[in-house]
Amino acid sequence: MKRVIALLGTLVVLAALVGPSAAAPAPNTSAQSSLNWLRSQQQPDGGFAGLGSSSDAGTTASAAIAIAAAGVDPSLVLNDGHAVTDFLAASTSSYGASTGGAANLALAAYASGLNPHSLGGVDLIARIQSAYNASTGLYDPQLYVDAYAVLALEAARATVPPAALDALANAQAADGGWSYTGSKEKGQSDTNTTAVVIEALVAGGRTNSPVESAARSYLHTAQTADGSFVYQVGAENPPVGDANSTALVVQALVALGQDPNSATWGHAVDALRHFENADGAFRYRDDTPGDNLLATVQAIPALMLEPLPIAPQTAFGHATVEQRAMQPEKARPGCTYFAVVGHNLCAGFQAYWNQFGGLATYGYPLTEEFHGCDPQGWCGTMQYFERAIFEWHPGIA
């Protein structure tokens, strides 16, 4: 293809037909609307907000896992040029300092096709391993966190001592469940901890045992008449299920080789879908009908029938700068936004596009502005259009 280069002050316009974007794999339609809503909640720094308005590393790690479970590379989900994985990499020193934080980030890195041994320059797996207490067999006294640590190590194919799996199995209460604190007292078991412990034991190869059978029995007692699951058996009368607990149990059932939408399990996936609002977001419970981000990020992997750890697709984690720039963005202040392609046209490129032909001459933008390199080896700010490539060459008159 012929490339025509014209020096226009400090702007270089390369006349060319730019090929189609290298799009991420299409997600399964069962979670598409939820994924679309989730993407609309991304902050300009690439993260997702927790309980407050600012981005939170734990929530963002869970969002990355959900996005990957839906078949989309988290490194190609951007806002203002910042990807989900960029925010995670910047969070390793602070959030990743705790065992739970390191485990959550490691699982998100693994699902995103990144190396949990070197995320943001930090070896998250080594951090988890350093927390192991040989006398208790636990990485953390809180069993939910401990199970996440085991899942992260299994995902990274790191050695998990048999005693660590024994400790999880031995923490099972008489009712067949596990509690967040590790207490075996009556009424302390909860479905959320039970679900992630089951996934950890399955990932560690502990299946088809009396422990598994008792766990299934406990989960049956935690299911309501409508098919949803409660957080804790006996906590409310009548029992009220919630989206988070239902989603986590669905994942655990898949890990156990069960069909969560069978009659045996009360059509639990259909029960989970009941919590989906019209915009694709999930509510926590029917008595709290507002959109809930955490409920949504936990529901998506369950809808996809993907238990932890989420395995990445082959192409994940290898996006080029061009591929990142081709991903749709939100409108930016002071720019012309083309909703039909999801891209902005800003600053000098915007002024030149408007002055010298606009849409008829150059077509729609196919990327955001990005720092890239051309075939001749020049590197700098550029933007692709349907019929041109704009390059910014400072100092060239």
Side-chain angles (χ1 to χ4, degrees):
M1 180 180 294
K2 184 176 181 182
R3 296 167 62 87
V4 180
I5 303 176
L7 289 177
L8 303 166
T10 57
L11 178 68
V12 176
V13 179
L14 307 182
L17 179 63
V18 179
S21 67
N28 187 303
T29 53
S30 67
Q32 180 66 72
S33 59
S34 300
L35 179 65
N36 289 342
W37 180 86
L38 179 60
R39 294 183 73 152
S40 74
Q41 303 303 301
Q42 189 177 22
Q43 304 287 311
D45 58 9
F48 291 83
L51 297 178
S53 58
S54 58
S55 292
D56 171 77
T59 303
T60 304
S62 297
I65 291 170
I67 291 165
V72 174
D73 186 346
S75 68
L76 292 178
V77 176
L78 303 97
N79 187 1
D80 200 19
H82 299 103
V84 178
T85 48
D86 296 337
F87 183 85
L88 294 179
S91 304
T92 51
S93 296
S94 52
Y95 179 67
S98 68
T99 303
N104 202 10
L105 287 172
L107 285 169
Y110 173 68
S112 302
L114 304 178
N115 184 2
H117 285 283
S118 181
L119 183 68
V122 173
D123 187 341
L124 297 166
I125 301 305
R127 283 191 174 179
I128 296 169
Q129 290 173 322
S130 68
Y132 183 64
N133 185 332
S135 64
T136 64
L138 298 175
Y139 294 90
D140 193 276
Q142 295 175 330
L143 291 189
Y144 192 101
V145 175
D146 184 71
Y148 252 65
V150 171
L151 283 164
L153 294 175
E154 293 289 354
R157 295 180 173 82
T159 299
V160 177
L165 298 172
D166 292 340
L168 275 177
N170 293 336
Q172 187 177 35
D175 61 8
W178 284 264
S179 71
Y180 188 89
T181 62
S183 171
K184 293 185 179 183
E185 293 184 12
K186 185 177 180 180
Q188 292 302 301
S189 296
D190 68 82
T191 55
N192 296 26
T193 303
T194 299
V196 295
V197 170
I198 287 172
E199 290 173 293
L201 290 174
V202 170
R206 300 292 181 92
T207 57
N208 300 318
S209 68
V211 170
E212 176 187 323
S213 178
R216 290 201 307 268
S217 296
Y218 167 75
L219 293 177
H220 274 299
T221 68
Q223 191 168 29
T224 67
D226 64 13
S228 64
F229 289 84
V230 300
Y231 174 73
Q232 205 162 45
V233 176
E236 292 181 290
N237 189 19
V240 180
D242 65 83
N244 301 59
S245 300
T246 305
L248 289 170
V249 172
V250 165
Q251 286 182 279
L253 293 176
V254 174
L256 289 171
Q258 302 285 302
D259 178 0
N261 216 33
S262 65
T264 300
W265 287 104
H267 305 286
V269 178
D270 290 341
L272 175 61
R273 289 196 180 100
H274 162 78
F275 293 104
E276 186 175 3
N277 290 335
D279 59 1
F282 276 71
R283 56 188 177 275
Y284 169 59
R285 296 192 344 178
D286 288 343
D287 54 4
T288 54
D291 294 345
N292 187 294
L293 196 149
L294 184 57
T296 305
V297 299
Q298 291 185 330
I300 290 173
L303 290 177
M304 301 299 295
L305 303 180
E306 291 281 355
L308 294 173
I310 305 295
Q313 295 192 12
T314 303
F316 284 11
H318 303 289
T320 65
V321 292
E322 289 87 355
Q323 287 175 309
R324 284 170 58 107
M326 288 174 181
Q327 304 312 305
E329 288 267 14
K330 296 178 181 178
R332 298 181 184 178
C335 302
T336 301
Y337 183 68
F338 299 92
V340 67
V341 290
H343 290 301
N344 294 275
L345 180 56
C346 309
F349 289 169
Q350 178 185 35
Y352 184 87
W353 188 91
N354 285 330
Q355 185 176 355
F356 294 101
L359 186 63
T361 301
Y362 305 114
Y364 288 110
L366 298 181
T367 70
E368 298 292 297
E369 285 187 16
F370 67 99
H371 185 88
C373 300
D374 67 17
Q376 289 71 43
W378 172 86
C379 297
T381 302
M382 58 174 61
Q383 186 167 13
Y384 292 176
F385 294 81
E386 289 181 290
R387 292 182 290 278
I389 300 174
F390 285 14
E391 294 179 354
W392 178 247
H393 289 243
I396 297 179

